[in-house]
Amino acid sequence: MRFLHLSDLHLGKRVNGCSLLEEQADILQKILVIIDTEKPQAIFIAGDIYDVAVPPVEAIKLFDWFLMALWEREKEVFVISGNHDSGGRLSFANGVLSREGIYFQTICTREFRPITLTDEYGPINIYLLPFCKPVQVKQLFPEVEIHSYDEAVAFLVQKMSLQERERNILLAHQFIVGASTSDSEELNIGGLDGISVEHFLDFDYVALGHLHRPQKLAQLEYIRYSGTPLKYSFSECGQDKVVVIGELGQKGDLKLKLIPLIPKRDMRVLRGSFQELIKVENYRGTAVDDYLSIILTDEVEIPECLGKLRQIYPNIMQLSYEKILQRETLLRPLQKGQRKNPLSFVKEFYKLQNGLEVSAEQRSFLAELIDEIWQDKE
């Protein structure tokens, strides 16, 4: 069986006040082209369909169009809810859709019955685990002691009672400990929502959603995040967005390939002085209509800078002055209880003035000099 794994569409998302709905419609169309080329039988969408629990009408219409396009191609579609979704709203018409091969699991239940597909090698059991919090699991199973996300997911996976000789696939939307994160994600402080990868080892493939960087877990090819189809923060500028195509043969035989997704507009960071940036020839590798974060290296603010730059780069999302920000940070009074040693101040001032880090030799000399000054004061 061939399948396509994607997640975290975040339809309706706005970044720095800019709607990305046009880019989202474009990337979904490109995913349909990949589906027509690769011909997967099943489509796995691992949560965060929308960016907010009550999405705008345009986002709902876009997902409706995408589902209809998948139905017309006679694909089996499996969808779970993420932490951004409203499980109750997303499950609308689930009973009718399941008769057409479109399966939604948006709310945790006491029973986990897989949807079973078959191919020439026998049954493939597909389990759907939507995003859930410990309190929700405790409400379903008041007789069980559940104190953490990890305990909740471990208990739910155990309830699935896998058929070990058959092939089993899981869709889940959780944060797995050890995975790499991005600025555009919502995670609990201190990793309280972290789940151990060990709970998923017995599956033949685990289609994860929640984290925006495509990656495998614990060097295991069969447990992975597909990541977002688009970049949703400038911390993701260095990432290549992909969809995962898998081919599951007999048990233990899994082949995967990652197909790049090319956005209509990319997200980039440009850094330089105002005079450098207005010379477009300095940035030939950058499409001028990309979404940009511009970091100016000028010492002082440039009058009407944003308006002038937007005549060249119409989709600037962020504008900041690197050296002014560094200076303000350096001069900002310390909060009560904060302390900085003199060497830290000198190192920051040196970098501000010279744009370079203090070398090991310079640091050693400064430390000795500061010690001598302090001894003289005593």
Side-chain angles (χ1 to χ4, degrees):
M1 184 192 76
R2 289 174 70 82
F3 61 83
L4 180 143
H5 167 201
L6 68 155
S7 71
D8 296 272
L9 306 181
H10 287 277
L11 300 180
K13 188 173 183 64
R14 303 179 71 87
V15 177
N16 293 93
C18 298
S19 171
L20 298 184
L21 206 64
E22 182 181 342
E23 284 74 21
Q24 290 173 330
D26 174 76
I27 209 68
L28 289 180
Q29 182 63 63
K30 289 172 179 173
I31 290 172
L32 290 176
V33 172
I34 293 172
I35 289 171
D36 291 339
T37 302
E38 297 293 330
K39 296 179 170 49
Q41 176 185 350
I43 310 298
F44 302 149
I45 308 179
D48 279 355
I49 309 306
Y50 300 114
D51 192 53
V52 292
V54 184
V57 172
E58 294 78 11
I60 297 172
K61 288 181 177 179
L62 179 56
F63 189 54
D64 178 67
W65 166 82
F66 186 58
L67 280 183
M68 179 61 71
L70 296 177
W71 178 80
E72 290 172 344
R73 288 164 169 79
E74 299 182 345
K75 303 302 177 185
E76 304 277 352
V77 183
F78 301 84
V79 184
I80 60 173
S81 58
N83 58 301
H84 282 250
D85 298 313
S86 165
R89 291 184 175 90
L90 198 57
S91 64
F92 174 76
N94 185 27
V96 174
L97 291 172
S98 63
R99 297 178 185 178
E100 300 295 327
I102 299 175
Y103 306 95
F104 280 79
Q105 185 68 50
T106 62
I107 300 172
C108 283
T109 60
R110 285 187 64 91
E111 294 185 6
F112 281 91
R113 295 179 181 175
I115 297 109
T116 301
L117 305 182
T118 56
D119 63 9
E120 62 268 36
Y121 301 108
I124 302 171
N125 303 312
I126 300 171
Y127 292 86
L128 305 179
L129 179 60
F131 177 78
C132 56
K133 298 179 180 180
V135 65
Q136 295 168 325
V137 180
K138 287 163 67 175
Q139 289 172 351
L140 283 172
F141 302 93
E143 70 277 12
V144 180
E145 288 290 326
I146 300 289
H147 301 288
S148 67
Y149 279 83
D150 188 67
E151 290 177 354
V153 170
F155 175 76
L156 294 176
V157 169
Q158 188 178 14
K159 288 279 294 180
M160 293 177 185
S161 301
L162 302 185
Q163 299 297 316
E164 295 182 2
R165 294 185 179 182
E166 297 178 357
R167 293 163 295 167
N168 300 289
I169 292 175
L170 174 69
L171 274 67
H173 190 96
Q174 299 287 353
F175 169 51
I176 311 302
V177 174
S180 299
T181 61
S182 304
D183 289 348
S184 54
E185 297 146 0
E186 291 183 5
L187 302 176
N188 283 358
I189 296 173
L192 296 177
D193 53 352
I195 310 296
S196 172
V197 72
E198 293 181 0
H199 307 316
F200 306 131
L201 297 180
D202 293 334
F203 291 91
D204 294 275
Y205 185 76
V206 181
L208 293 170
H210 194 31
L211 299 190
H212 294 181
R213 181 190 299 270
Q215 57 192 295
K216 59 186 176 182
L217 274 297
Q219 300 304 308
L220 300 172
E221 292 288 342
Y222 69 98
I223 304 177
R224 62 170 59 241
Y225 289 99
S226 63
T228 54
L230 293 170
K231 297 171 184 176
Y232 288 140
S233 78
F234 288 102
S235 68
E236 300 171 42
C237 285
Q239 297 178 20
D240 294 323
K241 298 301 183 179
V242 301
V243 292
V244 181
I245 297 291
E247 185 167 352
L248 185 60
Q250 59 188 350
K251 192 168 181 69
D253 180 16
L254 175 68
K255 298 180 178 66
L256 298 173
K257 65 177 176 179
L258 308 182
I259 299 182
L261 292 173
I262 309 303
K264 182 175 184 178
R265 294 185 182 90
D266 207 347
M267 292 184 76
R268 302 179 188 269
V269 177
L270 294 186
R271 181 179 178 278
S273 69
F274 177 76
Q275 291 300 323
E276 290 171 336
L277 287 167
I278 60 176
K279 297 177 181 177
V280 182
E281 61 270 18
N282 291 339
Y283 300 93
R284 292 187 185 276
T286 301
V288 295
D289 62 343
D290 282 347
Y291 291 116
L292 300 177
S293 172
I294 290 186
I295 303 173
L296 290 172
T297 58
D298 298 270
E299 297 282 353
V300 296
E301 292 190 20
I302 309 297
E304 301 179 6
C305 175
L306 183 58
K308 293 174 182 175
L309 287 173
R310 276 199 170 137
Q311 294 178 16
I312 305 170
Y313 312 103
N315 294 310
I316 298 173
M317 283 186 168
Q318 294 178 352
L319 177 68
S320 61
Y321 287 83
E322 183 179 60
K323 294 188 177 181
I324 294 175
L325 180 61
Q326 289 175 347
R327 190 181 304 124
E328 290 175 349
T329 302
L330 181 64
L331 298 178
R332 187 181 299 133
L334 293 177
Q335 297 178 0
K336 187 175 181 180
Q338 268 188 310
R339 291 186 178 182
K340 274 192 177 182
N341 61 50
L343 181 58
S344 296
F345 278 114
V346 176
K347 287 164 60 179
E348 290 179 8
F349 183 73
Y350 182 89
K351 184 177 180 179
L352 179 65
Q353 291 296 107
N354 302 285
L356 299 171
E357 299 285 352
V358 171
S359 68
E361 185 179 355
Q362 290 171 321
R363 187 164 55 249
S364 177
F365 171 77
L366 286 168
E368 291 178 6
L369 181 61
I370 290 170
D371 283 343
E372 288 180 12
I373 295 172
W374 245 242
Q375 287 173 4
D376 290 343
K377 286 197 171 187
E378 292 175 356

